[in-house]
Every structure is written in structure tokens, then in C-alpha cells.
Amino acid sequence: MCSNTGVETAVKICFTTGAAAGAFTVGALSDRLGRRLSLIGCLIVGGVVSTVSMFSPQIIMYAVSRFICAMCFVGVTLITHVISKWTYGV
């Protein structure tokens, strides 16, 4: 995969698109379900999908798992920021 720069660029675009989608999706989800439940869900799903991406045999599966992984970890970052801001007023 590393020798084919087109595929490498496509996977990077999938990751970046997942991060942007996660900023909108997880924010709305945490408002509806609660921040604590959303944080725990993002951590679990992100960990599982990250492990799946390590062992993915196909490039499509790898790209989709990186998309979901980016959504979850951007969500974790945003939710943690909001919780710390609300709790500590920092």
C-alpha cells in the first residue's frame, strides 16, 4: 500500500472526512443521549474499530474503519473538552 500514493492519499482523505463528520455527528448525539454515554460509546467503538483496522485485509475495509475511528476520536476530544469546561470552568 505504501508504494501506491493514490491509495495512501485516499485513506488520508477518508480519515479527515471522518473527523469532520464526527464533529457534527457526535456533538448532536451527545446532546441527545448525554455526554457520559456518548463518551463511553465513542471510546469503546473507537477502540474496537482501531483494532479492526490493524488487521484489515482489504483497503476498503481499512479506509472505512479509519473513517469510523476518526469520528470516534474526534468525538472523544470534543466531549472531553465540553465536560471539563462545564465541570471545572477552565
Side-chain angles (χ1 to χ4, degrees):
M1 181 177 100
C2 292
S3 63
N4 192 349
T5 57
V7 173
E8 183 179 344
T9 304
V11 171
K12 287 179 184 177
I13 290 171
C14 284
F15 186 82
T16 306
T17 306
F24 293 107
T25 307
V26 176
L29 188 67
S30 68
D31 287 341
R32 181 171 289 262
L33 297 177
R35 286 170 179 54
R36 186 176 183 183
L37 183 62
S38 296
L39 179 63
I40 292 169
C42 282
L43 286 170
I44 291 171
V45 171
V48 169
V49 172
S50 181
T51 305
V52 166
S53 73
M54 287 191 306
F55 300 110
S56 60
Q58 299 173 345
I59 193 66
I60 298 297
M61 183 178 176
Y62 180 72
V64 169
S65 63
R66 294 296 292 166
F67 179 87
I68 297 170
C69 184
M71 282 183 69
C72 290
F73 290 127
V74 164
V76 167
T77 304
L78 292 174
I79 294 169
T80 305
H81 175 73
V82 169
I83 288 174
S84 67
K85 193 87 158 158
W86 184 68
T87 304
Y88 300 111
V90 176

